[in-house]
Amino acid sequence: MKITIKILTVLAILSLPACKKYLERNPHEFLSTGAFYKNEKDIELALYGSYASLREIKNSAEYVFNENRSDNATYQYRLYNDAWIYPSLMTVDPGNTHVDQYWRYSYVLISRVNLILKHIDVVADEAVRKRFTGEAKFLRAWAYFNLVRYFGDVPLVTEPFESGNLAKTKDRDPVANIYPFLIAELQDAMELLGATPVNLVNDYGRANKWAAGALLGKVLLTKGDKPAALTVLRNVYDNSGYQLVSNYAELFAETTETTQAQKEVFFAVRFSGGGMGTGSVLPTYAGIDIFHGFGRNVTLFSNSLLNAYVRTSDTAVDKRYKVTCNNIPAVTEGPAALGILKRYPAKGVGVAKDASGNYKSVLIPVQNDSGTDFPELRFADVVLMLAECEGNTTTGLTLLNRVRTRAGAPAYTAASITTLFNGDFQEAVLNERRLELAFEGDRLFDLKRMGDVYMEQKLLQFYTSEPTYTRTDYFPEIILITNQVTHNGTKIDAWRFLLPIPRNQIVRSDVMKQNPGYTN
């Protein structure tokens, strides 16, 4: 079991228990300390505080407005409240508490990094200064990349601001201005971190050169620059030393995170459980409520995802299928006549070996207390992005099949891609990314980066075929909302693909405007 830390699990990540007292302070205390940032140790502590922000961001219930807004997941049968359920219906309110938390915690991270970079010159050792600067730039780029994908135009701020609170007169910057910033930031991070030897075990959870490269490749691919992405990703693939581990399940097992997962995971948000309720909250959203009893299990894997495994793989041997979808029996809920099946994903919940040596979902006895890390960037992700860049070539097909072979799935041939995907290699890669990276936060963004028309096509198909959105004997009110969102199955307005700017941010700002389609 990981070291138990009462308040901030980042201390367990970085093995510096002496930092505990400092990092237990609230964000506003952290950012307003005038006597801080005087030497290398102060900057180091501040950097650890920035890593701690990752935990807050992931625990903002990101699952609810990420996976639940894709075709991977659907909502719980019981209708709890708007904040939990309505994102699944593409009807996110600007007052949604989870969206507000995600925005605020992201800008707390950014504000912490801005302070570090402003005072970085107090670090006398050049090698250490470069490493801290590179890590800080990586974290800031990570935060802005996610913000711009969720919200579109967002305020781009590189100077310190207090407690994550933006100036009342700071407006949103266009997406077109933010991507060049991201690219430059990650290029800097790669160069600055390049002189630091990568220790996969001791530095697990900290950014390094190859994490920056993997993220840069994803930024370039999202921007639509495949040639540039190909160059970056090929470098990471050939030279990073990361690999596909043999046992897929061990990537998501707490007991093997620092013996197996660190060989494949470039960057992870790290958590520690231990009975204090300060670990990952994901089991609370996606776990088994009949065992956990927490009553918030609102993310269930969809028939659409299940059918993708069945149609394009061999579910009897595909290791991903059992870890992602099928290692927990479906549970019938509601009136017996309805036969509503609740299927729980295991990723994020955590898996462990049972007496027979099979990996099964872990039952977490304390709410918000999972010690399972969340992988943000994996080597398999890089392999599949590189396959997408290579396209329908021998190299592209070989890369695609590397991931399938590790999973135990049948290798693709030109003939099978023709049969399953009408010869569309890009679609084959996107489908494989769905199977490989399900519930790791990639499916929604893969749909988005293919464009509004593509995303509308996929989601319209999903909403007009998924039982929880089409069966009138489930929730008649859900059918009404679904019909409104999909214009009775004919289209989905593209404005729904962006989240609303949180109402609190609009209210306190003199200049910030809401995204189209939303009412403050």
Side-chain angles (χ1 to χ4, degrees), residues 29-30 203 210 227 237 247 263 281 299 339 354 388 414 456 488 496 508:
E29 294 175 317
F30 176 92
D203 293 336
W210 302 115
Y237 180 87
N247 190 334
K263 298 176 184 177
V281 303
T299 299
D354 62 14
E388 185 173 337
E456 179 188 10
N488 288 303
R496 296 184 184 275
R508 71 174 304 275

Side-chain angles (χ1 to χ4, degrees), residues 326-362:
N326 202 39
N327 68 331
I328 308 165
V331 178
T332 301
E333 182 176 67
L338 295 185
I340 299 172
L341 294 180
K342 296 167 59 177
R343 298 185 175 99
Y344 303 92
K347 283 186 182 179
V349 178
V351 295
K353 281 184 180 179
D354 62 14
S356 301
N358 298 313
Y359 279 89
K360 300 292 185 181
S361 182
V362 177

Side-chain angles (χ1 to χ4, degrees), residues 54-62 98 101 105 271 278-282 285 368:
L54 300 173
R55 171 180 168 270
E56 297 169 327
I57 292 169
K58 299 307 292 188
N59 277 352
S60 66
E62 186 183 6
H98 309 302
Q101 288 172 356
Y105 290 142
F271 292 98
T278 57
S280 170
V281 303
L282 293 185
Y285 306 133
N368 301 344

Side-chain angles (χ1 to χ4, degrees), residues 33 188 319 404 417 429 463:
T33 304
D188 285 350
K319 302 169 187 176
R404 288 183 66 82
I417 288 178
V429 173
Y463 282 114

Side-chain angles (χ1 to χ4, degrees), residues 228-455:
L230 174 61
T231 300
V232 172
L233 293 168
R234 174 57 66 179
N235 181 30
V236 176
Y237 180 87
D238 288 340
N239 300 310
S240 68
Y242 286 83
Q243 60 185 280
L244 298 177
V245 300
S246 59
N247 190 334
Y248 181 80
E250 289 181 344
L251 292 166
F252 312 100
E254 185 177 353
T255 54
T256 53
E257 285 168 348
T258 54
T259 59
Q260 294 301 314
Q262 41 82 13
K263 298 176 184 177
E264 177 167 338
V265 178
F266 293 102
F267 185 66
V269 178
R270 304 214 59 201
F271 292 98
S272 289
M276 300 300 295
T278 57
S280 170
V281 303
L282 293 185
T284 303
Y285 306 133
I288 319 169
D289 59 354
I290 59 171
F291 296 117
H292 294 281
F294 301 150
R296 295 183 188 173
N297 308 96
V298 294
T299 299
L300 308 176
F301 72 81
S302 66
N303 278 3
S304 174
L305 177 59
L306 177 64
N307 291 338
Y309 278 104
V310 172
R311 189 175 71 87
T312 63
S313 188
D314 183 343
T315 55
V317 296
D318 193 324
K319 302 169 187 176
R320 302 168 303 187
Y321 175 70
K322 293 183 178 181
V323 170
T324 305
C325 294
N326 202 39
N327 68 331
I328 308 165
V331 178
T332 301
E333 182 176 67
L338 295 185
I340 299 172
L341 294 180
K342 296 167 59 177
R343 298 185 175 99
Y344 303 92
K347 283 186 182 179
V349 178
V351 295
K353 281 184 180 179
D354 62 14
S356 301
N358 298 313
Y359 279 89
K360 300 292 185 181
S361 182
V362 177
L363 302 182
I364 308 298
V366 179
Q367 186 173 359
N368 301 344
D369 196 51
S370 172
T372 302
D373 297 340
F374 191 92
E376 283 291 318
L377 292 165
R378 289 201 281 123
F379 188 70
D381 189 0
V382 167
V383 174
L384 291 173
M385 287 192 289
L386 187 57
E388 185 173 337
C389 291
E390 293 283 359
N392 194 7
T393 62
T394 300
T395 301
L397 184 60
T398 299
L399 290 165
L400 181 60
N401 281 330
R402 274 205 69 185
V403 174
R404 288 183 66 82
T405 300
R406 189 269 296 269
Y412 281 138
T413 63
S416 60
I417 288 178
T418 297
T419 300
L420 292 170
F421 305 104
N422 295 318
D424 188 338
F425 185 79
Q426 171 85 52
E427 193 63 27
V429 173
L430 290 171
N431 180 78
E432 201 61 30
R433 288 180 59 80
R434 188 183 188 189
L435 304 187
E436 174 71 22
L437 303 170
F439 295 100
E440 295 178 51
D442 283 283
R443 178 60 175 174
L444 176 71
F445 294 141
D446 279 347
L447 294 175
K448 287 176 68 69
R449 68 183 175 84
M450 298 307 295
D452 289 347
V453 174
Y454 181 91
M455 187 170 184

Side-chain angles (χ1 to χ4, degrees), residues 146-223:
N146 289 329
L147 283 169
V148 79
R149 290 189 293 175
Y150 278 130
F151 298 98
D153 299 347
V154 294
L156 179 60
V157 187
T158 58
E159 293 295 324
F161 52 100
E162 187 176 354
S163 299
N165 291 324
L166 300 169
K168 290 173 67 67
T169 56
K170 177 58 184 171
D171 203 353
R172 298 161 66 189
D173 290 86
V175 170
N177 292 351
I178 295 174
Y179 271 92
F181 169 80
L182 294 175
I183 293 168
E185 195 88 331
L186 290 167
Q187 288 172 336
D188 285 350
M190 285 195 73
E191 182 177 353
L192 290 161
L193 294 168
T196 303
V198 177
N199 188 312
L200 299 184
V201 177
N202 294 343
D203 293 336
Y204 183 54
R206 294 183 70 168
N208 59 42
K209 172 184 178 178
W210 302 115
L215 186 58
L216 176 58
K218 184 168 286 191
V219 168
L220 291 166
L221 191 58
T222 301
K223 186 175 178 288

